[in-house]
Amino acid sequence: MRLNLKTTLTAGLTALLFAGTAHAQTAGATAPACGGDLNAFLQGVKAEAQTLGVSAEVADRALAGAAIDQKVLSRDRAQGVFRQTFLEFSKRTVSQARLDIGRKKLKDLSDVFDRAEQEFGVPGPVIAAFWAMETDFGAVQGDFITRNALVTLAHDCRRPEIFRPQLLAAIEMVGHGDLDPNGTTGAWAGEIGQVQMLPRDIIAYGVDGDGDGHVNVKQSSPDAILTAAKFIQSLGFTKGQPWIQEISIPDNLPFEKTGLQPGMKAADWFALGVKPRDGDTSFGNLEASVVLPQGRKGPAFMTYPNFNIYLEWNQSFIYTTSAAYFATRLAGAPPYERGNPEEGLSEEAMKQLQTKLNALGHDVGKIDGILGSGTRTAIQKEQQKLGLPADGWATQALLSAL
């Protein structure tokens, strides 16, 4: 399961979702768009589904027995924040066992992965890494009734603009024979299948990979693989280009230029002494960033435009970097050099740092003890002022200096 509901809501898809919500408010004018009596809410959903071309029989079948799942609401209210470091998270997720299984899957399903790359331009290792990280290659897909999860989140008034369109898409999937309203299970937030996709994305990008006339992303690995490939392509993946590359960096690198910020090409970094570990400098004309998940003394990577698809998939920097690294391992890269990063801050110390940064005029977002993008950017600016290497890594020395 993805670490947050990010997730598939790219700018274009978000526009579609909000368009669907606006339609809901007109089509279901006699019933609440969210909240209130559940039966009245479901009647409004049924009415809207019919305006979208779903028959009354399909809508009734899809919604019969629908119920609020309190466990879904509990999960939604208590979403955990991501506190592991890159070294911790990548060690756990990019395990030898997963690498072995992934390589076997790439071999056993080579014809499917070849088709994915030929038709959608997405290499097998990229898909397989997501497959592993989302569900352990389909082994852990979630046990929430998808229909009830989406009814719960669409009825709840916290984010109905996201979940009502997904519920309508799930009803459409029932009509296609691709979702059993009482039997299909998935993640608490409505994601379904071996690569955890939301119903609207399954409809938009679903591929019948095994030729049975259905898109079954739960049981059919070919369907899941090809659907994921088409979705990844839609996020902007460019065939034949790298996504991430391990590098070594010089001590005098202008660290204030590091991080996920535009303006540099790979060739610019090479001229500054950055060296790809695999020796491949053939993509020097591409936009590139140098990312240091645990500062200048830890692992170092260069990211390319294709890395953006990872950020579209999940907004957690640690997750995306780990997933991208995982794909390089499946493609043949060696383990990264761990380095010897400086010790980071505890949750409480990180909150203290964020509070200080806010007081200095930076916007780090929520004081949550997480080293997110806003906090990293603020750290870099303060490191520059203090004459420290501006690598964006939070240390006790920095906290003490502020």
Side-chain angles (χ1 to χ4, degrees):
M1 178 181 173
R2 296 183 197 169
L3 300 177
N4 53 30
L5 184 74
K6 120 146 217 43
T7 96
T8 57
L9 304 181
T10 61
L13 292 174
T14 301
L16 287 171
L17 294 176
F18 274 73
T21 303
H23 193 139
Q25 291 171 343
T26 56
T30 60
C34 67
D37 179 73
L38 179 60
N39 288 329
F41 169 78
L42 293 175
Q43 284 302 311
V45 171
K46 174 185 173 180
E48 183 179 1
Q50 289 181 266
T51 68
L52 298 174
V54 175
S55 71
E57 183 275 328
V58 168
D60 284 336
R61 180 157 47 90
L63 295 172
I68 299 297
D69 188 337
Q70 292 298 328
K71 291 191 298 181
V72 168
L73 291 175
S74 295
R75 288 286 188 94
D76 185 49
R77 299 297 190 268
Q79 290 186 64
V81 288
F82 198 78
R83 303 189 188 283
Q84 290 179 301
T85 67
F86 172 74
L87 288 177
E88 292 168 340
F89 185 71
S90 62
K91 180 180 179 180
R92 180 171 66 83
T93 55
V94 190
S95 65
Q96 188 59 52
R98 277 184 166 181
L99 288 167
D100 291 343
I101 295 171
R103 288 163 183 153
K104 188 174 189 303
K105 295 287 188 183
L106 286 167
K107 180 180 179 181
D108 293 346
L109 295 167
S110 60
D111 56 335
V112 180
F113 284 111
D114 287 346
R115 178 182 168 189
E117 185 159 16
Q118 290 166 7
E119 293 187 14
F120 306 112
V122 183
V126 171
I127 305 166
F130 279 128
W131 191 12
M133 295 191 69
E134 293 295 336
T135 66
D136 262 336
F137 303 102
V140 185
Q141 298 186 34
D143 57 4
F144 290 86
I145 300 276
T146 298
R147 187 271 316 276
N148 286 352
L150 291 172
V151 164
T152 299
L153 293 167
H155 178 266
D156 184 46
C157 288
R158 196 161 85 87
R159 291 179 292 175
E161 74 281 358
I162 292 176
F163 289 105
R164 186 177 180 117
Q166 297 297 346
L167 175 58
L168 291 164
I171 295 171
E172 184 178 343
M173 287 180 65
V174 172
H176 296 164
D178 295 336
L179 188 148
D180 176 354
N182 296 303
T184 296
T185 56
W188 67 264
E191 299 101 333
I192 306 168
Q194 298 185 32
V195 289
Q196 298 284 272
M197 294 179 65
L198 288 165
R200 193 149 194 169
D201 297 328
I202 295 171
I203 290 174
Y205 305 107
V207 179
D208 175 15
D210 55 19
D212 68 353
H214 293 278
V215 177
N216 185 344
V217 294
K218 280 185 67 68
Q219 280 83 31
S220 173
S221 294
D223 289 10
I225 290 166
L226 292 168
T227 298
K230 188 174 182 179
F231 177 64
I232 291 168
Q233 180 194 50
S234 79
L235 297 179
F237 193 93
T238 300
K239 183 177 182 179
Q241 292 184 7
W243 50 96
I244 198 170
Q245 186 179 36
E246 189 186 1
I247 55 175
S248 64
I249 58 174
D251 292 337
N252 64 345
L253 193 70
F255 290 103
E256 68 277 4
K257 297 180 181 295
T258 64
L260 294 172
Q261 52 183 303
M264 300 272 286
K265 291 185 179 296
D268 299 329
W269 289 111
F270 300 152
L272 291 171
V274 170
K275 296 181 179 179
R277 190 174 173 196
D278 61 9
D280 185 0
T281 59
S282 61
F283 295 98
N285 63 324
L286 294 180
E287 295 286 328
S289 297
V290 166
V291 296
L292 309 170
Q294 288 185 235
R296 69 193 189 282
K297 296 183 180 180
F301 300 94
M302 181 173 289
T303 63
Y304 293 92
N306 275 341
F307 184 75
N308 291 332
I309 69 105
Y310 290 89
L311 297 171
E312 296 289 356
W313 189 282
N314 190 296
Q315 292 171 338
S316 164
F317 174 68
I318 299 303
Y319 178 99
T320 55
T321 308
S322 297
Y325 161 69
F326 196 162
T328 66
R329 291 297 310 280
L330 290 173
Y336 57 67
E337 294 286 351
R338 292 176 54 89
N340 187 28
E342 295 177 83
E343 185 175 353
L345 296 179
S346 67
E347 177 185 345
E348 190 56 39
M350 184 69 76
K351 288 181 179 179
Q352 294 175 18
L353 176 62
Q354 290 175 318
T355 301
K356 286 189 174 185
L357 291 170
N358 269 352
L360 289 168
H362 301 287
D363 180 9
V364 303
K366 183 179 179 181
I367 305 298
D368 55 9
I370 301 298
L371 183 56
S373 59
T375 302
R376 285 179 184 267
T377 299
I379 287 172
Q380 282 186 296
K381 291 178 180 178
E382 291 303 319
Q383 286 172 325
Q384 274 189 277
K385 291 179 182 177
L386 294 167
L388 301 172
D391 60 2
W393 181 237
T395 65
Q396 186 60 50
L398 174 64
L399 177 59
S400 300
L402 292 180

